[in-house]
Each structure stands twice: as structure tokens, then as C-alpha cells.
Amino acid sequence: MSKKVLVLSGGFSAEREVSLLTGHGAAEALRECGYRVAEHELTDVESLIKTLWAEKPDVVFNALHGNWGEDGEIQGLLDLLQIPYTHSGLKASAIGMDKDLTKWVCRSAGIKVPLGEKTTLRRLRQEGAPMAFPYVVKPVSDGSSVGVYIIRRQEDLAMVEYADEQREILVEKYIDGKELTVGVLNGKALTVTEMRPQSGFYDYRAKYTAGITEHIIPAAIPETAFRTALGYAEKLHRALGCNSVSRTDMRYNQKDGVVVLEINTNPGMTPLSLVPEQFQYVGGSYRELCRILTEEARCRKIS
């Protein structure tokens, strides 16, 4: 009998709508692969537990994004319940979601990252930035470029808004140049894609609105930079202990070279998403990618 897969999507983060798109696409693909598929839209923990007990899935396909989905929270719950799940485990997810911790891992692995410092919005306004303009302000833990601001002059600080001014943020040197990303599947980098938004930077709108960002695949960068980008992505994937798939975002210019910005341990699987596009470029299909993630599902065993 084929495996029963519960596709989990929705959730509590700012990326809820993207998660629902990912979940719908994955569920359809897995049905086409012959799996028995159930779907659950996460709105509260009690209903999730009830669904898990009722469905008794062999695997949970984790289509959640952002906080409570790819930061170790749902991973810890499924580890305790001993239900295998797709993507990375608790430790890799928690560290990968924390941009400041990820930078420490990068430095220890010899991966170039921008100069940066952790602070809060309140402290930033009171004490000023620890570096010259331009710099980037972003949450320490969030995905899909949610809450990211480029500060080019003092007046720009006024546009920075977070519900909690004591929330941890990262102030980071702005690296100009080409926006790159590299997907890694089972330890092997797929290729390098350059994202060219029509205007501004590669923010949430640019990522998930059709037609406003051009994907150049493979990226038109020097061969040495191309190999460096592939190597950085594989090295960070290994250093965090990621399972199955990850995607590392970078910037490139001639002066700074390739600089890693962050890693996504649960990259999107929407029609505009980059990892499915890269997998297709190297000869795979969306359906096959979903199958691989399902077959590679793991949980931390209780010994």
C-alpha cells in the first residue's frame, strides 16, 4: 500500500498565503505520484493534533513557511510524535531561521557574509546605526523578505515599522549587485539563478507577483563567482545539517565577490518558486521533486 502523506499548510506567519499555495501544489503532485494524500490547513494546534491522530500519516509534507513552520517549532512537535516530516529537522530549521546565528555558522565555515549587528528598532533609533549608509534593516527571524528595509539616508529610518520595537532585528551592510540564489538537493547544488526585479529589490511582492521579476537561469556571472556560489550553498547546507532541500540567497558584485545573505531551509514550492524552477532546469519535474522530499522525510528518533 502506498504511503499516506498529510500536507500541512497555512500557519500563523506573514507567509500564510504563500504556504497555502505551496501546500496545494504539493498535494496535487503527490496524488499524481500515487500517494494517499490528506490536507490540513493549520489554524490552531488542537485541530492539528486531532487531524494527526485521525489520519495517522506515514509522512507529513511540511508546506508551512515562516515562524512556527520552518523555525523548529513544528519540527519539535513532529519529533515528539515520531512522525517523519519533509525538509530539515529542528536544529537546522531553528538556526537557519535565525539570520544572526546563520552568519556565525557561515563565518566558521569560511563563507563570506555582510558586516552586521543584532539590535532592536528602539535602540537603533536611540543610538543610531553601527555602520555608514547604506545599510539594511530586517528581522532576525522571518522569511520571504518580510519587513526588510534598505536605509540610504537618515530620513529612511522613519519608514521602518515593526509591531514590537523591542523585537530583535539585524542591521547589516548593504551589498549592491546581482541578486542570486542557489538551491541544494540532497547535498548537491542545482544551479545559480539571478533575480532581476523590474524595480526596487527582491522583496515579498517581487517574489510572489507574476511578471515583475525576471529569472536568469543560469545566472550570467563569471565562472569563478558561479562556482563560489555553488560551493557556498553546499557548504552551508552541510554545516547546518539540512535534510533534503535548502536555498541560499546571495549578492554578487566585482568588489565584494559572492556574499551570502541567508538560507531558507523550507523554500517555497509555488508556481513562481525558485527551487522547482532550478530542478526543472537540471532535468527534473515538480512532481519528482515532491516525491524526493517525501521519500527523504525524517524525524529525530527517540532512543
Side-chain angles (χ1 to χ4, degrees):
M1 183 180 293
S2 61
K3 288 182 180 178
K4 186 170 190 179
V5 183
L6 178 70
V7 178
L8 181 59
S9 64
F12 315 117
S13 79
E15 300 172 70
R16 177 180 174 81
E17 295 305 315
V18 176
S19 170
L20 292 172
L21 288 174
T22 290
H24 177 73
E28 290 302 308
L30 292 172
R31 288 189 181 100
E32 291 172 2
C33 288
Y35 293 101
R36 293 176 294 139
V37 177
E39 297 179 65
H40 182 84
E41 182 179 333
L42 179 61
T43 56
D44 65 274
V45 177
E46 183 179 354
S47 63
L48 171 61
I49 297 296
K50 288 180 178 178
T51 298
L52 290 170
W53 286 133
E55 297 289 348
K56 295 180 173 55
D58 299 301
V59 173
V60 168
F61 191 101
N62 181 16
L64 297 171
H65 298 309
N67 292 312
W68 297 98
E70 57 182 303
D71 59 358
E73 305 287 357
I74 195 69
Q75 290 80 6
L77 174 62
L78 294 172
D79 282 339
L80 285 170
L81 296 174
Q82 292 290 277
I83 302 173
Y85 52 89
T86 61
H87 302 81
S88 292
L90 189 158
K91 183 170 68 174
S93 300
I95 296 173
M97 191 68 173
D98 188 310
K99 297 177 181 66
D100 187 55
L101 285 179
T102 299
K103 285 162 72 81
W104 283 96
V105 173
C106 285
R107 291 190 192 101
S108 68
I111 298 170
K112 193 172 185 178
V113 293
L115 176 70
E117 186 173 307
K118 188 164 65 173
T119 184
T120 65
L121 179 57
R122 180 174 299 175
R123 193 181 309 145
L124 176 62
R125 286 180 168 153
Q126 290 173 347
E127 302 175 4
M131 63 193 68
F133 299 112
Y135 58 84
V136 177
V137 174
K138 57 187 178 183
V140 167
S141 297
D142 238 329
S144 287
S145 299
V146 174
V148 177
Y149 300 87
I150 299 175
I151 309 301
R152 300 182 185 278
R153 57 188 187 278
Q154 186 62 34
E155 293 76 15
D156 291 343
L157 260 182
M159 70 181 180
V160 180
E161 290 185 4
Y162 300 115
D164 180 7
E165 291 200 350
Q166 289 293 83
R167 178 186 189 183
E168 287 187 331
I169 61 172
L170 196 60
V171 178
E172 192 173 76
K173 178 186 175 184
Y174 175 70
I175 305 296
D176 199 7
K178 294 179 182 290
E179 192 98 35
L180 308 177
T181 199
V182 178
V184 174
L185 183 63
N186 289 335
K188 179 67 175 175
L190 298 172
T191 189
V192 185
T193 300
E194 178 192 351
M195 293 80 72
R196 293 184 186 172
Q198 290 180 358
S199 61
F201 72 104
Y202 192 56
D203 58 6
Y204 186 92
R205 178 172 173 270
K207 288 181 179 182
Y208 301 115
T209 305
I212 69 170
T213 298
E214 182 182 6
H215 294 179
I216 312 300
I217 180 170
I221 58 176
E223 181 63 25
T224 301
F226 198 97
R227 290 197 304 269
T228 298
L230 296 177
Y232 277 176
E234 290 180 355
K235 191 179 290 188
L236 184 53
H237 183 97
R238 289 194 303 269
L240 287 182
C242 293
N243 180 52
S244 65
V245 70
S246 68
R247 197 195 75 234
T248 297
D249 296 336
M250 314 173 193
R251 281 287 181 97
Y252 167 75
N253 63 55
Q254 287 187 332
K255 177 185 175 184
D256 298 299
V258 177
V259 181
V260 166
L261 302 179
E262 60 186 73
I263 189 171
N264 190 327
T265 58
N266 199 337
M269 297 275 283
T270 74
L272 298 179
S273 294
L274 292 150
V275 168
E277 182 180 55
Q278 289 192 351
F279 189 62
Q280 184 175 9
Y281 173 78
V282 299
S285 68
Y286 182 84
R287 183 192 304 176
E288 176 65 7
L289 179 58
C290 291
R291 187 197 68 79
I292 291 172
L293 298 184
T294 300
E295 292 302 315
E296 292 294 326
R298 301 283 185 272
C299 65
R300 184 182 178 187
K301 296 300 181 183
I302 296 174
S303 56

